Amino acid sequence: MSGGREIVLSARHVAKRYGSVQALKGVNFDIHRGQVTTLFGENGAGKSTLMKILSGVITPSSGEIVLDGEPVVLGSADEARARGIAIIHQELCLAPNLTVRDNIFMGRELRDRAGLVDDAEQARRTRALMAELEEDIDPLTPVGELRLGQQQIVEIARALSADSRILIMDEPTSALSATEVESLFKVIRDLTARGVSIVYISHHLEEALQITDHAVVLRDGTMTARAPRAEIDLPWIVRHMVGDHYDLGRPPTGYAFGEVALSIRDAVVTEASGAEVVDHLSLDVRAGEIVCIYGLMGAGRTELLEAVAGRTALAEGSTRLCGEDLAGLGIAGRIARGLALVPEDRQRDGLVQTMSVGQNLTLASIGAFVRGLFTSPGRERALVEASIRDVTVKTDGGDAAIGSLSGGNQQKVVIGKMLATHPRVLLLDEPSRGIDIGAKAEVFKLLAERARRGLAVVFSTSEVSECLGVAHRIVVMRRGRIAAEFGADATKDMIMAASGEAVVA
């Protein structure tokens, strides 16, 4: 018992080593019945490793797991699920070609009396789960047709469908809108009221404080702090995660902007249904300028950036790069002329999981070291080493597997890959999604440095604090249009009001 609540699952002196890397160093961690334990830490601190051990995905190098007071060996995720432990992974593990219903019950299908898969009952339960999460998603919709936030909801529904008594949520809100986060928090409160124990991992610190009962901080594989909710606040979390000095940065100064690098005129983007998600939007961005596009989910931010980058087509309007009309050019053609996009979903659109760190870094600039029918290993190696150094990727080297990196370092690889093409305009869609505050600060510092060298930067975000960091100009989108523009004098309330988001007193 601890604080009047029974401890249902514990890690005792748990350590995990990967070759020469010590991911966990004798961690002790408790999960309390019917409460939310929030785990904070930078990318690479060991959070996901610890959660994978507690959910049976991997085994510890030393130490033990104690469940209901008895030591247990969780040899697989199936064994953990059988004991009532489920995990929602940060990176989605869905089959895009299958329906929502089939993804939720994949591997544990419901059977009728004849032993056949009961599709009707699975669909009924899927509808009930969607209603509980306040999301109107048809059970027969292929997952690949859903936007990222809806796919996250499906992942959450799959875990909830197993009636787990211990539920581990690794970045469950990273792609959710404010409304969807509120719905998830209602579900969490209902679950804890029924005695379900929650482990919650999030880089959205203020958001996590709304739901937590206990906080634990990991740093470099070691637990550095733990406390009940009454004893913690935002400075406490940041101090134990990254130290006393943390700053997202400020707009770079001391130079004049150059000519217009990106010009968007009367851009219209439509969905398959014909509905306009970007409605006659015009925007100019100058060389050396950092522009933040803020908006709620559904405001049209992603659709705008993808159309500008050539991933989708404009229904109307034009895009010019340094005066050149980009009409008719695809993604490769736009990259060749100096326009690059860092996509929102780095796992699906930014990285190739079967390739190494170095191969991912050079994928978009392979032409720089191709000679005839052959590549130049020396040129490629030099480019990889320079990129790793320039964007400060923490890795064992270019030959390391991309999956061995933390989320923040994977994001740096995606950014480094596009910077290696020497762009004149860099677009970034939610560049801080799923990365910690330390990595976030490093990413924004990198963008500020490149802007000083003349790079035009446009990044989208749904976090107000990021708008108030390095951006010279803040553009607020609402229902596909620009609702307001602000400079350095903007406030959080001004931005939220312009977006249509309720301002919390």
Side-chain angles (χ1 to χ4, degrees), residues 24 134 161 303 363 437:
L24 292 176
E134 299 181 1
S161 70
E303 292 82 359
L363 193 58
I437 56 175

Side-chain angles (χ1 to χ4, degrees), residues 398-452:
D399 293 332
I402 193 67
S404 69
L405 302 189
S406 66
N409 282 293
Q410 288 185 12
Q411 184 72 337
K412 289 180 187 177
V413 169
V414 180
I415 295 172
K417 176 180 71 173
M418 303 320 300
L419 288 176
T421 67
H422 304 293
R424 291 183 283 183
V425 175
L426 182 64
L427 312 174
L428 305 99
D429 192 5
E430 292 279 7
S432 68
R433 177 179 174 263
I435 65 175
D436 64 70
I437 56 175
K440 190 182 299 187
E442 290 179 354
V443 166
F444 286 124
K445 179 182 178 182
L446 174 65
L447 297 181
E449 290 173 350
R450 292 304 175 111
R452 286 192 184 93

Side-chain angles (χ1 to χ4, degrees), residues 63-87:
E64 66 177 4
I65 305 301
V66 179
L67 179 64
D68 298 323
E70 298 292 332
V72 296
V73 175
L74 302 175
S76 68
D78 287 339
E79 286 185 28
R81 279 193 293 268
R83 294 177 180 270
I85 305 168
I87 184 169

Side-chain angles (χ1 to χ4, degrees), residues 7 99 199 316 414:
I7 296 173
T99 65
V199 179
E316 297 179 32
V414 180

Side-chain angles (χ1 to χ4, degrees), residues 42 171 197 425:
E42 294 186 272
E171 289 286 343
S197 305
V425 175

Side-chain angles (χ1 to χ4, degrees), residues 160-177:
L160 294 179
S161 70
D163 294 324
S164 306
R165 62 194 185 104
I166 299 170
L167 185 56
I168 299 168
M169 297 183 168
D170 191 354
E171 289 286 343
T173 66
S174 60
L176 302 187
S177 67

Side-chain angles (χ1 to χ4, degrees), residues 259-279:
E259 298 296 320
V260 172
L262 177 67
S263 181
I264 305 168
R265 282 288 167 269
D266 294 315
V268 175
V269 181
T270 59
E271 294 180 323
S273 64
E276 293 184 352
V277 288
V278 177
D279 183 6

